[in-house]
Amino acid sequence: MQRRHFLFALSGITMALATRSFADQASGGDKVTIMQFSDDGKPLGRATLSKVRKDAEWKSRLSPLAYEVTREQGTERAFSQPGYDRHEPGMYRCVCCDNALFDAKTKFDSGTGWPSFRQPITAENVREISDHMFGMTRTEVRCALCDAHLGHVFDDGPKPTGLRYCMNTVALRFVPHKI
């Protein structure tokens, strides 16, 4: 009888661990490793952090448009937000969690009305997800730390990467480099 209870308990634990593992994989897990950067763009090292989740705070702290874009996968209208065409030295951070996302050195004028970059500041600070909305397949770009929707990446950018990370202005916070 004890052996039967032991096997039953063991199978229950195994099932619970498998379910938790599946849920963690589906949600991306609770931890993420990113590269941290100072505001002047210098790498500070990798850190493994808990995913940032502040839905109530974001709703009250962000503008309605920034909330719609970052938390509800919206898109701002092209050419509608100040700063889409900014070109001074600096870095772009996530408006929700302050994660470093793009260096202004990789920004270019794509003529689209949204900030466009050749590449992220480091690949581990963003997440790319296949997006099948509106009957087409695109690659959505999200902040790796808080899952904020940032925009999409396309393969029609300039050399050397050939990529165009087309971001929503309201999803980014520009931090000028101190000279």
Side-chain angles (χ1 to χ4, degrees), residues 44-111:
L44 300 174
R46 285 183 173 73
T48 300
L49 305 169
S50 293
K51 285 254 188 181
V52 176
R53 293 183 174 91
K54 300 180 178 181
D55 289 329
E57 182 181 329
W58 286 324
K59 185 108 177 160
S60 66
R61 187 172 56 91
L62 297 173
S63 72
L65 179 59
Y67 185 84
E68 178 188 346
V69 167
T70 59
R71 308 320 313 169
E72 298 174 342
Q73 286 71 42
T75 301
E76 68 195 25
R77 283 181 308 140
F79 302 100
S80 69
Q81 298 303 306
Y84 76 88
D85 57 351
R86 171 179 280 128
H87 291 288
E88 58 263 30
M91 76 169 352
Y92 291 84
R93 293 185 174 275
C94 177
V95 72
C96 295
C97 70
D98 220 33
N99 184 20
L101 300 170
F102 297 95
D103 189 312
K105 289 184 278 191
T106 67
K107 191 172 185 204
F108 65 97
D109 185 2
S110 64

Side-chain angles (χ1 to χ4, degrees), residues 2 11 13 18 27 45 55-56 58 61-63 78 83 105 127 143 149 161:
Q2 287 182 341
S11 68
I13 291 169
S27 70
D55 289 329
W58 286 324
R61 187 172 56 91
L62 297 173
S63 72
K105 289 184 278 191
R127 238 172 29 112
C143 173
H149 170 76
T161 66

Side-chain angles (χ1 to χ4, degrees), residues 89-159:
M91 76 169 352
Y92 291 84
R93 293 185 174 275
C94 177
V95 72
C96 295
C97 70
D98 220 33
N99 184 20
L101 300 170
F102 297 95
D103 189 312
K105 289 184 278 191
T106 67
K107 191 172 185 204
F108 65 97
D109 185 2
S110 64
T112 62
W114 291 285
S116 296
F117 304 87
R118 290 189 308 273
Q119 63 193 39
I121 196 163
T122 182
E124 61 205 315
N125 286 16
V126 298
R127 238 172 29 112
E128 296 182 8
I129 301 166
S130 186
D131 174 1
H132 302 284
M133 290 176 65
F134 308 118
M136 61 182 138
T137 300
R138 303 180 294 176
T139 302
E140 179 188 6
V141 180
R142 291 188 182 193
C143 173
L145 188 54
C146 73
D147 285 326
H149 170 76
L150 305 171
H152 292 85
V153 62
F154 302 95
D155 62 2
D156 60 358
K159 292 181 181 181

Side-chain angles (χ1 to χ4, degrees), residues 32-54:
V32 63
T33 300
I34 62 166
M35 176 64 80
Q36 295 182 314
F37 288 83
S38 66
D39 282 346
D40 61 357
K42 291 187 174 62
L44 300 174
R46 285 183 173 73
T48 300
L49 305 169
S50 293
K51 285 254 188 181
V52 176
R53 293 183 174 91
K54 300 180 178 181

